[in-house]
Amino acid sequence: MRSVEQRRFVPLSFTMNAAVEPVDPTGTIDLAITGMTCASCVSRVEKVLSRIPGVTNASVNLATERAQVTGAAPDAATLIRAVVKAGYGATEIQPEAPPADHKSRDRRDLPHLVGAAVLTAPLLAGMVVPALMVPGWAQFALASVVQFWFGARFYRAGWNAARGLSGNMDLLVALGTSAAWGLSTWLWFRTGHAHGLYFESSALLITFVLTGKALEARARRGTVTAINALMRLRPATARVRRDGTESDVPIAAVRHGDLVVVRPGERIPVDGRIREGRAAIDASMLTGESLPVDHGVGDTVAAGAIDTDGHLVIETTAIGAETMLARIVRLVEDAQASKAPIQRLADRVSAVFVPVVLVLALVTVAGWLIAGATPSAAILNAVSVLVIACPCALGLATPTAIMVGTGMAARRGILIRDAAALERAHAVHVIAFDKTGTLTLGKPSLTRIVPADYLADVAALQSGSEHPLAEAVRTAAKGLTLPTVADFRTLPGLGVTATVGGRTLLLGNARLMAERGIALDALELDAEAMAAAGQTVSFLAEPGRALAVLGFSDTVKPSARAVVERLHKMGLRTVMLTGDGQGAADAVARQVGIDTVRAKILPADKAAAVAALRAGGQKVVAMVGDGVNDAPALAAADIGIAMGGGTDVAMETAGITLMRGDLALVADAIAVSRRTTAKIWQGLFWAFAYNVLGIPLAAFGYLSPLVAGGAMALSSVTVVGNALLLRRWRS
């Protein structure tokens, strides 16, 4: 059983070493479910699991054949017993388990399909060419083998559903084909004739359904290609250097701190930091980055990436389930197994669907008998109702689209936390951007300091800060002798303070100066000139007196303007939220084409600004950011989008994580959501259309059981095939 703490690190925290926190008393268990055939099965399994004491939520996915159960106390054995008692199979999915091997199950099912088709062929030939019709006893024998041997699976699953006071596709197939077989048997015993029987109908229905399930399974295998591709990135062994000797060991035997040797052309087996060598690293399968990126000593690398041209020695910092690759795999798995809010519509329908269909079948029989039809005609029309109403497509419409959409996004470096985030993103109307590191490169340079002789003091003051402006100051002050520093403190959203060379100094923005009552005096003109030039302005001061003013310039990302224009064409409004001064913020906004600017705001103000956008009549607001100060706004937005290379806390609060700092992925994420949501609605439309149109046609005698069976099989294949078209999407 995976605790919530273990799973909390899965999607979003991509650092190599994570601190251990107290374990949450609740947990999540993943189960592989077998025997489900339609949306009604999903509803049945969810109800069974939800009734277990301690379970707070049970979500079952038909396309992945997985169940996610959360809550306190329940263990896997208890959950499995409940599922088995309901008539389905269940096993616990271990965190490092490979994907289920559906091909082996398909190989077992193929002989049943072939056998049913071979025995049905003579019956079909007699229906098409009367001269080839086999005797009544032969029809009975052939149809009986198909009905009760190759169709036994429908009886078993249908009985389990009925025993649990539920219904599913198998129950409808079993009832419909049994009615056709029973009617034919009664007519044959009564008349002894080979003509006027319907054995071919029952046998063909079984064969049709088996064929449809085979095609559906084949199509569904295409929805897990992203997971399988990521799984194949895991090397089985690693070349480890211990005590000066290199040897190949299983990946499970690698320990933290081991030195792993990677040769040109090999996949990197662990997450780590380069200690020797230099190489261009191809991480396209992890980040979607199209070209290899040069890495050297001190740089971090991730398992699954390819060393294209150099000899590397890597110090291991994460292995197995801790690696970035493993976390990406589990994030995609969890997203594909989650249930979108739109799925609730299908769930509500499926919960009552089978009982309603059974009632409609009985009404059909009664209606035709009252109208003066023969019992044979009445029963055959009822069989058509039972068969065409199978709710397979209804249960597959949403999960298959979610699986393909999240998998496709992952291959392009867009990690979506769950189906709910994917569904919400399509309705975004406003996108709010942080400035530094999001719209800009986040690597500002110190452009000017007035007076210049305070540079050493500023550099000393910034020696303990991780802020991008601090790095710019330290770069500008290289070679200078710095005074001693003590009592360093960060003032969130304002600046920093410390004792430098024995005196207290402050460094921060104009708001900090105003709060401390420090007049800018002669520095104000220089500050205004810097702000007018689009520079970020900071002030150095001591209590009661301003000492210097600093101007910083940051470079706008090359793709920023094109991405903002693309978002505008998609009908979205753009907003920039930043703690920088109005002049610097306006300059960047003009360069990239941002609609609205909110400057000089603290982190808490960013969250309030997002809330104000939502309250202003906008339906859905997305926030794009990468820093610690963006986390409140990411959490406040309907959709938080964390940029690659950002901090863990930003990623922890985001619904979508971009694996690289390419702004084009923001527009791609919205486009993927829109395309996937469209496929979901298309799938639900076709699923409902088949039933809404098909059931009345069958009830009024316009569809024979054979046509109904073919239409039912085609509906599932159509829905899954339509979802697979998502794989053709290109940015």
Side-chain angles (χ1 to χ4, degrees):
M1 175 175 173
R2 274 189 267 166
S3 70
V4 165
E5 170 59 24
Q6 289 172 309
R7 294 174 62 87
R8 194 183 69 82
F9 284 104
V10 167
L12 302 171
S13 182
F14 294 131
T15 53
M16 302 303 180
N17 292 304
V20 177
E21 300 176 8
V23 177
D24 194 293
T26 62
T28 300
I29 297 177
D30 289 339
L31 299 177
I33 309 295
T34 58
M36 295 190 301
T37 56
C38 66
S40 296
C41 296
V42 171
S43 179
R44 169 67 177 157
V45 175
E46 285 183 341
K47 287 180 180 178
V48 166
L49 292 172
S50 299
R51 291 172 185 157
I52 298 175
V55 172
T56 57
N57 182 65
S59 177
V60 179
N61 188 304
L62 178 61
T64 60
E65 297 181 320
R66 286 180 57 181
Q68 281 190 348
V69 185
T70 58
D75 59 273
T78 301
L79 301 175
I80 291 172
R81 282 195 299 270
V83 173
V84 171
K85 187 176 180 181
Y88 303 92
T91 55
E92 184 179 8
I93 300 176
Q94 299 300 326
E96 290 299 296
D101 183 12
H102 295 296
K103 289 186 178 180
S104 62
R105 186 182 63 191
D106 296 343
R107 286 192 293 269
R108 293 193 300 269
D109 291 343
L110 184 60
H112 285 246
L113 173 58
V114 173
V118 168
L119 296 183
T120 301
L123 302 175
L124 182 60
M127 183 182 69
V128 177
V129 183
L132 298 178
M133 184 171 292
V134 298
W137 64 268
Q139 293 184 43
F140 171 77
L142 293 172
S144 296
V145 174
V146 174
Q147 183 73 36
F148 300 109
W149 180 260
F150 297 119
R153 55 185 285 181
F154 302 113
Y155 286 98
R156 286 194 298 267
W159 166 248
N160 288 330
R163 188 181 60 182
L165 299 179
S166 180
N168 59 10
M169 182 207 80
D170 301 289
L171 180 61
L172 297 180
V173 172
L175 289 174
T177 56
S178 296
W181 178 88
L183 174 62
S184 301
T185 302
W186 177 72
L187 291 174
W188 174 54
F189 278 138
R190 194 186 69 163
T191 65
H193 297 311
H195 296 278
L197 305 180
Y198 305 98
F199 283 120
E200 78 282 349
S201 296
S202 64
L204 268 174
L205 284 174
I206 295 290
T207 305
F208 268 145
V209 176
L210 292 176
T211 302
K213 299 306 289 182
L215 292 174
E216 174 192 315
R218 181 180 179 85
R220 281 163 61 183
R221 283 202 302 271
T223 65
V224 296
T225 53
I227 290 292
N228 292 334
L230 289 170
M231 287 289 195
R232 287 194 293 269
L233 297 182
R234 293 174 171 171
T237 61
R239 186 175 296 106
V240 178
R241 179 189 295 174
R242 292 173 180 163
D243 300 324
T245 303
E246 295 181 9
S247 60
D248 291 335
V249 301
I251 194 67
V254 180
R255 300 188 298 267
H256 288 82
D258 276 344
L259 295 179
V260 174
V261 179
V262 182
R263 297 170 181 170
E266 294 181 338
R267 286 200 182 275
I268 298 171
V270 298
D271 285 2
R273 185 169 285 102
I274 297 176
R275 290 306 180 201
E276 299 176 19
R278 191 170 194 87
I281 304 298
D282 179 2
S284 57
M285 284 298 293
L286 299 174
T287 66
E289 190 74 51
S290 57
L291 298 175
V293 178
D294 196 41
H295 286 65
V297 174
D299 291 336
T300 57
V301 292
I306 300 175
D307 173 2
T308 64
D309 60 2
H311 187 280
L312 299 176
V313 177
I314 300 169
E315 180 184 352
T316 302
T317 57
I319 56 176
E322 303 169 349
T323 63
M324 174 179 166
L325 172 61
R327 292 169 184 171
I328 292 175
V329 169
R330 290 198 298 270
L331 172 61
V332 177
E333 285 179 334
D334 289 347
Q336 293 186 343
S338 63
K339 184 170 292 189
I342 195 174
Q343 180 65 24
R344 289 193 292 267
L345 173 63
D347 291 344
R348 287 195 296 268
V349 173
S350 64
V352 298
F353 194 80
V354 173
V356 169
V357 169
L358 292 175
V359 172
L360 289 175
L362 293 175
V363 171
T364 299
V365 172
W368 278 98
L369 291 176
I370 293 172
T374 64
S376 299
I379 292 174
L380 286 177
N381 289 332
V383 169
S384 297
V385 171
L386 291 173
V387 173
I388 201 170
C390 293
C392 311
L394 195 61
L396 291 170
T398 299
T400 50
I402 292 294
M403 289 176 69
V404 179
T406 54
M408 177 188 62
R411 288 195 297 271
R412 288 163 174 76
I414 303 168
L415 298 183
I416 300 171
R417 180 193 289 269
D418 52 33
L422 180 66
E423 184 181 332
R424 283 198 305 271
H426 90 280
V428 168
H429 285 71
V430 176
I431 295 189
F433 291 91
D434 172 53
K435 182 180 79 70
T436 304
T438 302
L439 292 172
T440 66
L441 294 176
K443 296 180 180 179
S445 58
L446 179 60
T447 306
R448 189 180 175 203
I449 177 171
V450 180
D453 53 358
Y454 280 103
L455 180 57
D457 290 327
V458 175
L461 184 58
Q462 291 282 44
S463 60
S465 174
E466 297 297 324
H467 195 280
L469 298 184
E471 180 62 30
V473 170
R474 290 193 293 267
T475 299
K478 280 184 178 179
L480 296 180
T481 300
L482 305 183
T484 59
V485 180
D487 303 325
F488 176 86
R489 285 190 301 117
T490 297
L491 307 173
L494 300 173
V496 296
T497 182
T499 301
V500 179
R503 59 178 179 164
T504 300
L505 294 181
L506 298 164
L507 180 67
N509 53 28
R511 181 184 295 226
L512 175 62
M513 300 298 108
E515 286 190 1
R516 298 300 175 95
I518 298 173
L520 301 180
D521 298 330
L523 298 177
E524 194 161 8
L525 291 177
D526 289 307
E528 291 175 355
M530 293 176 184
Q535 298 176 15
T536 298
V537 179
S538 292
F539 298 91
L540 176 70
E542 60 184 3
R545 184 168 72 100
L547 302 175
V549 59
L550 298 86
F552 298 87
S553 294
D554 195 359
T555 303
V556 171
K557 288 183 177 179
S559 63
R561 185 168 188 86
V563 171
V564 171
E565 289 177 353
R566 181 181 169 196
L567 293 171
H568 287 158
K569 290 178 180 178
M570 295 170 68
L572 304 177
R573 187 164 71 89
T574 55
V575 178
M576 185 170 72
L577 307 177
T578 179
D580 288 347
Q582 193 69 49
D586 288 340
V588 171
R590 284 193 299 271
Q591 289 184 61
V592 301
I594 293 291
D595 296 320
T596 306
V597 177
R598 290 285 306 278
K600 297 182 180 180
I601 55 177
L602 295 172
D605 295 331
K606 287 187 179 182
V610 170
L613 289 172
R614 297 175 65 188
Q618 304 298 340
K619 294 181 180 179
V620 180
V621 176
M623 173 69 194
V624 184
D626 69 334
V628 172
N629 62 335
D630 299 322
L634 290 171
D638 296 290
I639 293 291
I641 302 177
M643 298 291 292
T647 60
D648 293 339
V649 68
M651 294 177 178
E652 290 286 353
T653 53
I656 298 175
T657 298
L658 309 180
M659 292 300 295
R660 60 185 192 274
D662 185 356
L663 271 174
L665 293 183
V666 175
D668 285 349
I670 303 300
V672 166
S673 174
R674 290 184 176 183
R675 188 71 175 269
T676 303
T677 304
K679 288 298 179 184
I680 290 174
W681 281 109
Q682 290 169 16
L684 290 174
F685 168 80
W686 285 112
F688 280 114
Y690 272 105
N691 290 321
V692 171
L693 296 177
I695 291 176
L697 290 175
F700 286 102
Y702 293 106
L703 292 181
S704 69
L706 298 182
V707 175
M712 186 274 292
L714 184 62
S715 66
S716 296
V717 177
T718 299
V719 167
V720 177
N722 185 53
L724 287 175
L725 293 177
L726 274 169
R727 294 192 296 181
R728 298 182 179 180
W729 180 85
R730 295 292 181 270
S731 174

